[in-house]
Amino acid sequence: MNVRIAFAAIIYIFLTTANLFGQDGKRVKIFGNVRDAEGNPIELAHVSIKGTVIGTATNEKGFYSLPVAKGDSVVLVYSCLGYNKTERIIPELTQDMRLNVKMNYLSIEIGEVYVTAHRNQTDMMETLDVTRIKRLPDPSGGSIESLIVTYAGVSSNNELSSQYSVRGGSYDENIIYVNGFEVFRPLLIRSGQQEGLSFINPEMTEKVQFSAGGFEARYGDKMSSVLDITYKRPEAFEGSVSGSLLGGSAYIGSSTGKFTQVTGIRYKTNRSLLGTMDTEAEYNPDFTDLQTYMTYKITPKLDIDLLGNLSLNRYVFTPHRRSTSFGTAKNPRIFEVSFGGKERDRFQTLFGAMTLKYAPNENVRYGLQMSAFNSQEEESYDITGGYLQNNAEAGTTTEEITSPLDWASYHEHSRNKLNSNVANAGFFGIIKANASNTLNFGVNAQYENIRDHISEWESRDSSGYSLPQTGNTVNVISNLFSDNELNSWRYSFYLQDVFKFRTGYGMYTVIGGVRGSYWDYNNEFIFSPRLSVGFIPNVEQNLILRAATGMYYQPPFYKELRVPRLDEFGNNIIELNSALKSQRSIHIIIGGDYSFRSLGRNFKFTTELYYKKLDNINPYTVDNVKIRYYGDNCAKGYAMGIDMKFFGEFVPQADSWLSVSLMRSRQTINNKIKAPMPNDPQYNISLYFQDYFPGNKAMINLKGMLSGGLPVTIPNRGWESYQRRTPPYRRVDIGFLYQIAGGKDAIMNYPFFRNFKNIWLGIDVFNILDISNTNSYYWITDVYSNQYAVPNYLTGRQLNFRISVDF
């Protein structure tokens, strides 16, 4: 029986195939565009003949073309994840026919509430909705990075900083692009208090894409992640103004057809937030950022884009007194400090970029890119302090302290300057061979000039003895000096192909490419192949599977090259290690998305398993946000884990999600020291929740973080001193917004207020649970050189008021 069934199936397939080939001369073509309700093209929509396996998929412009036999009527079926299935009946086909189709979002109506699904993700880049930044209760003043840290695989343990760690990597392992240009950060910043504003201006941003690993060859040489930002090209006049206790911003955009521009200015001062920390001080942080992005269409085929940025950060810190309680319930301790002196820091950066793009036709585009970056950084402080440490039950005054170990003084000094200049020029091309194949290529040359002058030291006196104690000699406990200059060239290229095709099993997206780079300072050439595959099965179009692998090198930048060497007088003199090579990470990632409906609502579950083999590691330690490298390729290691994200859209344009990450990362230094990687939290749970109050004019936004503690090392002693982790990082921020203008049911529905798109009033409660999170430790050294860790706590509970106006 089985033989007869198989034989009959073979005959049927043969006759069907013969019939299809026999009709080649009697075939016509149905073609057109598939768009959503707003007129945007839908990519990867499946177009098929009902009752057959014959079909195709739309390209990134929503275009499709399907050959069909002449004659009888056919029924075309249009389907795509997140959209209602659509059918079109064609009574009779006699010639080629254009058929454009609009597909509506898959949604459920509950009064005025609509739930909408999102597009397919067949590559390793996840798209974020930038409009949510305005709603986010963010102590950093509103940054895209504050939303990034709620995604799976991303962690942060400092609400004052926009830096983040991805799957156990360092902050320096993340690359950020704005309109195709790499963004650089100042190098001297050592604490979140100094950091200021992120380069990215959320008001000017149109598109945000992020990958936690396995990213494409067209992105640069970093080992952990890529954040790709695209700024707006407005079609009409628009703008916004916002203000809060943390600062303010203004943005304006316009278009005349050929010319578009967006310009934004931001100001940040987190003085009130810093006032919730343990140190009573005069905080004077002033951070200002001005950006503009302009485009001009010279001819129908030739465009020019200009991007400019000026950032000026000033930080003045005058400490007076600090009181910190720490220890255990059985051994509570108090650390009291009286300060003198002041810290003055200044960080100024300039950035300019130009892109000239030529498109001879709709399938070919070439571009010439040039940019220049300048950073002038100054860090100056002379701070003295006298501190007491004692059991909390025994008192904290000098008369109550009997042990000489509990009384000491110190003096910290620095006069640090660093100037950096980075200029690059590149050429890129995008060629669409057909609707399913796109070739990307590019070459780039980059010049770097970096000069630094470092002079810093710290002296301590415990119970009247200078530390470290060496007889009658007065010593410093640590020092660092540098007077270096680096001039170098880097050259790089990439070649990448994006190929999409469909089989009887489903739709495939294959992205393969190579990347090469050469640096003349260490005479190293690196070659990086990368590959990713996305698959949407025909049998279950709510399921998307992804896999990626590749070699990801990270050539050293200036900070990684620095190695302190002892001179004949015992001073630490920084030298640059020209033999330092690139670190390497081999990524292996598998994962996918599954979309489903439950309780009448749409949900999506995303998961990725990853393994990263690390070698040629340049080990480092972290203190607050300051990274100190060994300056040597003396370690190897690995990182592995699982990232999960549960996503649901409960109200219109108000996503909520829960991210859970479990990981393990380890390093072996000099083949003998085994320790976790510095940014290994072991677990990370983040929650972002949004909801409307009745009437849809008020909404609540909640952001929660729970992250495992990070490994701790003693300053200047490296990983040999590893012995503990910080406590877990726990924080909940909540914000309430109320819309007073904008929309058909606006409260302020007067003629004047109708000129505004939206006016929102808000109140935020940062760290609503008032948890004292430990960011780093201050190490006390007694006369016997024993060291004790006093926690440096982050910010406490704080109220923030804000207003946002869109027009």
Side-chain angles (χ1 to χ4, degrees):
M1 179 64 70
N2 291 338
V3 175
R4 285 199 296 267
I5 292 175
F7 180 74
I10 292 171
I11 294 295
Y12 173 78
I13 293 171
F14 175 78
L15 292 176
T16 302
T17 306
N19 183 53
L20 290 175
F21 280 101
Q23 292 180 352
D24 281 344
K26 301 179 180 180
R27 300 175 74 81
V28 294
K29 182 170 62 175
I30 302 176
F31 62 95
N33 292 88
V34 180
R35 299 182 180 276
D36 62 20
E38 285 79 33
N40 301 310
I42 300 176
E43 185 183 5
L44 296 179
H46 185 210
V47 184
S48 62
I49 300 175
K50 189 173 184 179
T52 73
V53 295
I54 301 172
T56 186
T58 57
N59 63 13
E60 66 278 0
K61 294 183 177 180
F63 179 80
Y64 72 95
S65 179
L66 183 65
V68 181
K70 288 183 179 179
D72 296 337
S73 65
V74 297
V75 179
L76 294 185
V77 180
Y78 300 80
S79 62
C80 185
L81 179 64
Y83 297 87
N84 289 312
K85 186 178 292 186
T86 302
E87 293 186 0
R88 292 291 185 270
I89 301 174
I90 304 173
E92 185 178 0
L93 281 171
T94 58
Q95 59 183 1
D96 291 352
M97 177 182 180
R98 171 181 284 274
L99 183 59
N100 296 328
V101 173
K102 181 177 75 173
M103 299 183 67
N104 294 317
Y105 295 114
L106 180 63
S107 60
I108 179 170
E109 183 177 351
I110 310 174
E112 294 184 356
V113 179
Y114 294 85
V115 181
T116 304
H118 290 255
R119 72 170 187 89
N120 295 332
Q121 180 196 337
T122 56
D123 55 17
M124 303 305 293
M125 299 294 291
E126 186 170 5
T127 300
L128 286 69
D129 186 352
V130 70
T131 61
R132 291 168 176 79
I133 300 299
K134 280 191 173 183
R135 307 168 189 166
L136 189 70
D138 179 19
S140 67
S143 68
I144 287 176
E145 290 90 341
S146 64
L147 187 64
I148 294 290
V149 299
T150 66
Y151 275 60
V154 187
S155 61
S156 171
N157 69 336
N158 189 341
E159 65 272 8
L160 296 174
S161 172
S162 63
Q163 301 192 55
Y164 53 88
S165 170
V166 178
R167 293 174 175 172
S170 78
Y171 313 134
D172 295 333
E173 294 175 17
N174 307 314
I175 192 167
I176 299 177
Y177 286 94
V178 174
N179 286 10
F181 294 97
E182 183 179 355
V183 172
F184 298 93
R185 295 176 180 268
L187 299 177
L188 285 183
I189 288 178
R190 56 189 172 83
S191 70
Q193 292 93 310
Q194 300 171 303
E195 192 169 299
L197 290 156
S198 162
F199 181 95
I200 306 164
N201 188 327
E203 298 285 355
M204 298 171 59
T205 301
E206 180 179 63
K207 185 178 181 181
V208 181
Q209 290 187 298
F210 176 75
S211 173
F215 44 90
E216 304 164 18
R218 62 191 175 100
Y219 295 114
D221 294 306
K222 295 287 186 178
M223 293 198 302
S224 287
S225 76
V226 59
L227 178 60
D228 191 0
I229 305 295
T230 303
Y231 276 174
K232 296 177 181 177
R233 292 176 177 239
E235 297 180 355
F237 178 80
E238 62 181 45
S240 68
V241 178
S242 63
S244 74
L245 297 180
L246 300 178
S249 66
Y251 152 79
I252 190 170
S254 61
S255 173
T256 62
K258 287 187 174 182
F259 174 78
T260 71
Q261 69 82 28
V262 288
T263 301
I265 185 169
R266 294 176 292 164
Y267 172 74
K268 174 184 173 182
T269 175
N270 52 5
R271 186 180 295 110
S272 61
L273 191 62
L274 296 177
T276 65
M277 302 177 72
D278 281 351
T279 301
E280 297 177 11
E282 297 176 28
Y283 294 96
N284 291 288
D286 291 297
F287 310 123
T288 307
D289 177 270
L290 174 66
Q291 289 190 47
T292 185
Y293 173 57
M294 296 179 286
T295 71
Y296 183 71
K297 186 173 284 295
I298 302 172
T299 71
K301 297 182 178 181
L302 185 65
D303 294 357
I304 185 171
D305 300 351
L306 299 174
L307 175 64
N309 170 252
L310 166 63
S311 178
L312 182 59
N313 298 335
R314 293 188 179 95
Y315 178 72
V316 180
F317 171 57
T318 307
H320 298 307
R321 181 177 178 273
R322 169 179 171 175
S323 178
T324 301
S325 300
F326 66 105
T328 64
K330 293 183 177 180
N331 186 23
R333 303 186 75 82
I334 290 181
F335 179 63
E336 296 272 352
V337 187
S338 295
F339 293 102
K342 179 180 292 188
E343 175 179 354
R344 292 186 180 91
D345 304 325
R346 183 177 184 272
F347 304 93
Q348 176 182 296
T349 61
L350 296 168
F351 180 79
M354 182 196 77
T355 303
L356 193 65
K357 292 181 285 188
Y358 174 66
N361 57 63
E362 64 177 7
N363 295 319
V364 178
R365 185 175 66 177
Y366 303 109
L368 177 66
Q369 291 183 316
M370 291 179 286
S371 70
F373 170 81
N374 171 263
S375 175
Q376 300 179 34
E377 308 172 35
E378 298 179 7
E379 183 183 52
S380 173
Y381 55 81
D382 270 293
I383 296 178
T384 61
Y387 60 80
L388 303 171
Q389 184 210 177
N390 197 25
N391 190 291
E393 298 175 352
T396 59
T397 66
T398 306
E399 290 77 11
E400 294 171 326
I401 293 197
T402 57
S403 170
L405 300 180
D406 292 325
W407 168 64
S409 64
Y410 71 93
H411 184 179
E412 295 178 343
H413 165 91
S414 86
R415 295 292 185 273
N416 299 335
K417 292 184 178 181
L418 187 144
N419 295 329
S420 57
N421 296 280
V422 180
N424 69 59
F427 177 80
F428 69 87
I430 302 173
I431 300 174
K432 298 178 181 178
N434 52 56
S436 303
N437 192 15
T438 303
L439 183 69
N440 295 262
F441 62 89
V443 294
N444 188 76
Q446 179 169 294
Y447 172 72
E448 299 166 5
N449 168 256
I450 301 174
R451 303 183 305 275
D452 78 335
H453 177 79
I454 306 295
S455 175
E456 61 182 52
W457 50 263
E458 179 182 359
S459 65
R460 294 189 189 177
D461 182 293
S462 180
S463 302
Y465 292 92
S466 176
L467 300 177
Q469 185 180 358
T470 55
N472 296 322
T473 303
V474 177
N475 297 298
V476 294
I477 196 166
S478 67
N479 62 17
L480 197 64
F481 302 97
S482 172
D483 191 3
N484 293 306
E485 182 173 1
L486 173 66
N487 292 281
S488 65
W489 283 90
R490 300 179 194 262
Y491 307 93
S492 62
F493 72 90
Y494 69 86
L495 179 64
Q496 175 181 298
D497 193 22
V498 180
F499 187 51
K500 300 177 182 180
F501 61 94
R502 182 176 292 277
T503 70
Y505 297 102
M507 179 70 188
Y508 293 86
T509 300
V510 180
I511 305 176
V514 295
R515 184 177 187 88
S517 179
Y518 174 75
W519 191 26
D520 67 358
Y521 184 73
N522 62 359
N523 294 317
E524 181 188 30
F525 175 77
I526 55 177
F527 185 75
S528 174
R530 303 175 188 179
L531 175 68
S532 68
V533 179
F535 175 60
I536 304 176
N538 284 336
V539 295
E540 181 54 83
Q541 293 197 21
N542 290 327
L543 177 66
I544 303 174
L545 302 176
R546 293 185 298 271
T549 187
M551 290 185 180
Y552 294 82
Y553 288 90
Q554 181 153 329
F557 200 63
Y558 181 78
K559 186 164 57 174
E560 290 95 317
L561 296 171
R562 300 191 301 182
V563 184
R565 311 283 191 192
L566 285 175
D567 67 3
E568 58 183 318
F569 304 105
N571 297 313
N572 288 289
I573 309 298
I574 291 178
E575 298 178 357
L576 303 182
N577 181 10
S578 61
L580 186 69
K581 302 301 181 183
S582 299
Q583 303 179 82
R584 186 179 71 169
S585 175
I586 300 176
H587 292 194
I588 301 174
I589 303 169
I590 58 171
D593 305 334
Y594 180 67
S595 301
F596 62 96
R597 291 176 61 81
S598 178
L599 303 176
R601 299 183 179 184
N602 295 326
F603 297 93
K604 183 171 74 172
F605 179 72
T606 298
T607 185
E608 285 189 352
L609 292 160
Y610 64 90
Y611 177 82
K612 298 195 291 186
K613 182 180 183 298
L614 310 172
D615 50 28
N616 278 346
I617 295 177
N618 183 1
Y620 62 92
T621 58
V622 180
D623 184 14
N624 202 307
V625 297
K626 188 175 184 66
I627 297 177
R628 289 193 183 275
Y629 289 91
Y630 278 43
D632 189 16
N633 301 113
C634 60
K636 59 184 178 181
Y638 68 88
M640 60 186 297
I642 181 171
D643 296 332
M644 296 168 286
K645 180 182 173 185
F646 182 67
F647 174 96
E649 194 171 273
F650 297 96
V651 294
Q653 301 179 351
D655 300 336
S656 298
W657 59 82
L658 173 69
S659 299
V660 178
S661 298
L662 304 174
M663 68 166 298
R664 176 183 173 89
S665 62
R666 293 293 183 269
Q667 59 182 341
T668 302
I669 304 173
N670 291 321
N671 292 319
K672 59 180 182 180
I673 301 173
K674 297 182 182 294
M677 299 294 288
N679 286 295
D680 172 44
Q682 297 181 311
Y683 63 89
N684 189 72
I685 301 173
S686 58
L687 171 68
Y688 181 57
F689 178 77
Q690 297 185 92
D691 199 359
Y692 286 113
F693 288 106
N696 292 348
K697 290 302 171 185
M699 65 184 306
I700 181 174
N701 298 266
L702 184 145
K703 175 184 172 185
M705 306 284 293
L706 172 60
S707 184
L710 299 179
V712 176
T713 59
I714 298 176
N716 306 309
R717 289 177 56 180
W719 283 98
E720 294 88 343
S721 64
Y722 166 66
Q723 54 185 276
R724 67 167 70 189
R725 288 177 175 265
T726 62
Y729 181 81
R730 299 158 295 164
R731 185 180 179 91
V732 177
D733 300 321
I734 191 168
F736 302 91
L737 290 173
Y738 190 76
Q739 187 179 25
I740 63 172
K744 62 180 181 179
D745 299 321
I747 301 301
M748 300 293 188
N749 196 17
Y750 302 107
F752 173 76
F753 289 99
R754 293 171 190 166
N755 297 316
F756 301 100
K757 294 179 182 177
N758 292 292
I759 299 180
W760 290 89
L761 295 178
I763 181 171
D764 302 320
V765 185
F766 300 136
N767 194 4
I768 189 171
L769 302 180
D770 201 25
I771 297 173
S772 298
N773 287 303
T774 301
N775 175 245
S776 59
Y777 289 92
Y778 183 80
W779 292 87
I780 300 172
T781 306
D782 64 19
V783 67
Y784 303 109
S785 294
N786 297 318
Q787 292 187 303
Y788 306 91
V790 179
N792 295 318
Y793 293 124
L794 287 164
T795 60
R797 185 188 295 122
Q798 176 72 17
L799 284 176
N800 179 52
F801 299 93
R802 52 175 165 151
I803 181 172
S804 175
V805 180
D806 299 326
F807 52 87

